[in-house]
Amino acid sequence: MVTPEPREVLSDGSDLRQQPDLRPRPRGSSYGLMRRRAQACRFPRVAALQHDPVGGLGQCGNQVGCCFWDLALREHAAVNQKGIYDEAISSFFRNVDTRVVGDGGSISKGKICSLKARAILIDMEEGVVNEILQGPLRDVFDSKQLITDISGSGNNWAVGHKVFGSLYQEQILEKLRKSAEHCDCLQCFFIIHSMGGGTGSGLGTFLLKVLEDEFPEVYRFVASIYPSSEDDVITSPYNSMLAMKELNEHADCVLPIDNQSLFDIISKIDLMVNSGKLGTTVKPRSLVTSSAGALKKQHKKPFDVMNNIVANLLLNLTSSARFEGSLNMDLNEISMNLVPFPQLHYLVSSLTPLYTLADVNIPPRRLDQMFSDAFSKDHQLIRADPKHSLYLACALMVRGNVQISDLRRNIERLKPSLRFVSWNQEGWKTSLCSVPPVGHSHSLLALANNTCVKPVFLELRERFMRLYKKKAHLHHYVQVEGMEESCFTEAVSSVSALIQEYNQLDATGSMPVQDLPRLSVAV
């Protein structure tokens, strides 16, 4: 687990971790598209007032969450030098007067008193949550935001979903409602979980159904960490496949992230940092893998830095809604513009730059190169090559000192090399946020609805079938109350149907784009 660096102190001596409150905005399900479109209207250059609670599920979800909250505090500390509770920091934090007993101590304006994260931490083992509560972030959470058990889910989706889901449903609902009550404008729920374990995959997808039932008009964004083929959880193909069915049915947007891709990115950064080549000194605090900002020659805990990459993804995803910019993009606009069909809601993400060179004799990384890297397979957070697959839509979320003209010029430069579906040749959504990430002058997050995600599902299905054909480990699942073997066949059918939809798109994408005749009205 990542150990965050010591507390950030603002210029007036106050502790940044003693500030919070947020505000979200309503959202809609499939039948609320017109309402969402109306809500998408914004005045230019003003960060929207919205609140986005975050749920960490299981060991992986809470470790990533720990990195996320640490980086979020660090980012707002760099911008908010006066320690004033503003709209930007309210997106993820409540401002609480700890002298007031109960829930009446929220402060909407003025000085930061004590920040409390808009979060719910759920794990059926106490280890990771206890580490967080004993670490530097302990004051950001309180016991009202936690749900833990001691037995764990035993790497079994059925235990997490069927057993702990039923056991803790009322507690989860209570904490979700309480979190929503603290939000003036509830726009989105974030869920961070892994697909391979028991709690993250099982209870995490159970939470999705609870959110859909209780808050049908609020977006559900999910960051799902997919296991690599060398995963040490033998039953991870079962867990992942069962979780996929729930993601297909209950999520609005899913950001699939591959452990192997994260490790490959770390290896590239390590190679750059340790290359010893002239002019390759990396600027401190600019590594996308770094939370403390210190450069290490070797990562002793690779999962720590992998978690930081995911945390940076979530920060950049929400930057336009938290800070000012010439083009703002809310989370509801991501779903509206990038998800043309309900089931095809898996968005491939890439981050660039991964670091910044510090040598003053070396010119800064060309802006054009940053855009080119975003479409390179080396920067994708899953093992995929989007340039050789079909785009349904693409979003570019730029931060820092970048002009609209730079954005448009690079889109026009890259368009000839990218294949878009014939009915959405101009399927671009863009945002410009004036506040860059800590340590960078500018950055880019690309989100692509692209058929290149299909091989991830194909590999998962293949690994699942190798076990399922032999009925290996199946008895551990079907002995759980409420779990039947039909759950497995339904999961395979759901994922196979998803793969078939991508196959059909790839088939039509190979056809030449034709200019359809305009509609003529007979007189």
Side-chain angles (χ1 to χ4, degrees):
M1 193 192 89
V2 174
T3 302
E5 76 173 17
R7 304 182 180 188
E8 300 280 351
V9 178
L10 300 175
S11 56
D12 64 347
S14 61
D15 188 341
L16 177 68
R17 287 187 172 87
Q18 295 179 332
Q19 354 166 341
D21 196 59
L22 305 145
R23 313 179 186 185
R25 210 180 267 212
R27 85 82 167 159
S29 59
S30 57
Y31 57 85
L33 295 182
M34 294 306 296
R35 185 188 305 184
R36 296 191 211 172
R37 185 167 296 172
Q39 290 170 343
C41 298
R42 302 281 181 271
F43 291 103
R45 307 192 63 84
V46 177
L49 183 64
Q50 57 196 32
H51 297 163
D52 306 302
V54 179
L57 275 297
Q59 176 179 334
C60 174
N62 282 299
Q63 287 176 335
V64 172
C66 182
C67 298
F68 170 79
W69 294 112
D70 182 59
L71 290 172
L73 287 168
R74 205 177 310 282
E75 184 167 278
H76 284 283
V79 177
N80 190 335
Q81 298 292 326
K82 296 181 179 180
I84 301 298
Y85 185 68
D86 57 17
E87 293 180 3
I89 203 168
S90 75
S91 293
F92 288 126
F93 298 93
R94 296 170 51 228
N95 191 20
V96 176
D97 186 348
T98 55
R99 296 170 298 180
V100 178
V101 179
D103 296 320
S106 294
I107 305 171
S108 59
K109 296 179 180 179
K111 278 281 189 181
I112 292 170
C113 293
S114 178
L115 286 179
K116 296 296 180 183
R118 298 186 188 274
I120 300 175
L121 280 56
I122 304 174
D123 197 0
M124 296 299 98
E125 293 178 351
E126 295 179 309
V128 172
V129 173
N130 284 342
E131 284 187 56
I132 295 173
L133 296 181
Q134 294 168 11
L137 294 179
R138 59 186 175 273
D139 294 332
V140 179
F141 307 101
D142 60 42
S143 59
K144 298 176 183 177
Q145 299 168 273
L146 314 177
I147 299 177
T148 60
D149 202 287
I150 56 175
S151 59
S153 297
N155 296 323
N156 189 326
W157 179 91
V159 174
H161 197 88
K162 303 290 186 180
V163 177
F164 288 127
S166 299
L167 184 62
Y168 286 98
Q169 181 173 358
E170 289 305 316
Q171 285 191 46
I172 291 173
L173 273 171
E174 179 187 352
K175 295 186 187 302
L176 287 173
R177 289 167 182 158
K178 185 63 66 175
S179 178
E181 287 172 6
H182 288 306
C183 297
D184 296 335
C185 187
L186 180 61
Q187 184 191 53
C188 171
F189 284 105
F190 278 106
I191 295 178
I192 309 171
H193 75 132
S194 71
M195 299 287 283
T199 300
S201 67
L203 194 53
T205 52
F206 179 85
L207 176 61
L208 263 181
K209 291 201 297 184
V210 171
L211 288 171
E212 184 178 44
D213 292 340
E214 188 72 12
F215 305 94
E217 290 296 309
V218 182
Y219 283 96
R220 298 172 297 280
F221 273 67
V222 187
S224 299
I225 317 298
Y226 283 70
S228 67
S229 55
E230 290 87 27
D231 187 67
D232 60 354
V233 178
I234 295 174
T235 56
S236 66
Y238 282 166
N239 299 330
S240 300
M241 185 65 77
L242 292 164
M244 274 291 298
K245 176 180 179 292
E246 305 300 320
L247 292 178
N248 288 345
E249 296 177 356
H250 305 295
D252 288 303
C253 281
V254 179
L255 306 174
I257 300 158
D258 185 351
N259 264 334
Q260 186 59 49
S261 293
L262 296 178
F263 190 79
D264 291 344
I265 289 174
I266 292 169
S267 300
K268 294 184 187 77
I269 293 176
D270 278 343
L271 183 64
M272 183 65 184
V273 171
N274 301 321
S275 64
K277 294 180 182 178
L278 183 64
T280 58
T281 303
V282 174
K283 181 180 177 182
R285 299 174 65 86
S286 76
L287 288 181
V288 74
T289 56
S290 174
S291 61
L295 299 181
K296 301 177 182 178
K297 291 189 175 181
Q298 211 167 16
H299 295 298
K300 295 182 179 179
K301 294 182 179 180
F303 284 107
D304 290 355
V305 288
M306 291 163 70
N307 293 341
N308 271 301
I309 297 175
V310 182
N312 273 281
L313 160 65
L314 297 177
L315 278 178
N316 288 342
L317 182 67
T318 60
S319 61
S320 182
R322 291 182 290 127
F323 300 115
E324 292 184 355
S326 53
L327 287 174
N328 285 329
M329 186 193 306
D330 287 345
L331 295 171
N332 57 359
E333 296 177 81
I334 293 175
S335 180
M336 175 71 72
N337 289 275
L338 297 191
V339 182
F341 307 110
Q343 202 171 13
L344 302 182
H345 53 241
Y346 294 85
L347 306 182
V348 179
S349 53
S350 62
L351 283 170
T352 180
L354 302 176
Y355 51 79
T356 299
L357 297 181
D359 195 318
V360 293
N361 296 316
I362 302 295
R365 194 171 187 70
R366 291 204 319 266
L367 202 59
D368 289 6
Q369 186 63 46
M370 180 181 77
F371 282 89
S372 297
D373 286 346
F375 296 90
S376 163
K377 63 180 180 179
D378 293 335
H379 286 71
Q380 308 303 314
L381 299 193
I382 63 168
R383 286 172 294 171
D385 189 357
K387 292 187 71 173
H388 292 88
S389 299
L390 187 67
Y391 282 88
L392 282 74
C394 183
L396 300 179
M397 308 184 75
V398 185
R399 301 182 63 180
N401 185 23
V402 180
Q403 304 302 315
I404 294 179
S405 58
D406 296 321
L407 185 56
R408 291 173 177 166
R409 172 173 52 81
N410 275 283
I411 289 177
E412 292 302 318
R413 178 177 65 86
L414 291 164
K415 276 173 63 175
S417 65
L418 306 175
R419 288 197 306 135
F420 275 74
V421 289
S422 59
W423 40 266
N424 197 24
Q425 289 288 300
E426 301 298 326
W428 297 87
K429 181 66 178 174
T430 57
S431 74
L432 285 176
C433 171
S434 58
V435 178
V438 174
H440 292 272
S441 60
H442 50 261
S443 73
L444 170 62
L445 167 64
L447 298 175
N449 197 332
N450 190 295
T451 60
C452 68
V453 75
K454 181 179 67 175
V456 174
F457 306 145
L458 285 168
E459 181 186 350
L460 175 59
R461 186 177 65 176
E462 180 184 347
R463 292 176 58 207
F464 171 89
M465 292 307 298
R466 283 201 295 265
L467 289 177
Y468 188 64
K469 283 179 180 178
K470 300 295 183 182
K471 308 296 184 185
H473 304 283
L474 204 63
H475 63 287
H476 297 301
Y477 290 79
V478 296
Q479 70 185 11
V480 175
E481 184 178 355
M483 187 72 182
E484 300 177 357
E485 191 170 337
S486 60
C487 295
F488 289 85
T489 56
E490 290 170 4
V492 175
S493 297
S494 177
V495 174
S496 296
L498 179 65
I499 292 171
Q500 184 58 28
E501 290 200 45
Y502 285 112
N503 285 335
Q504 292 175 358
L505 283 169
D506 278 330
T508 58
S510 61
M511 301 167 59
V513 178
Q514 298 179 347
D515 289 329
L516 298 177
R518 292 181 179 274
L519 177 67
S520 58
V521 180
V523 179

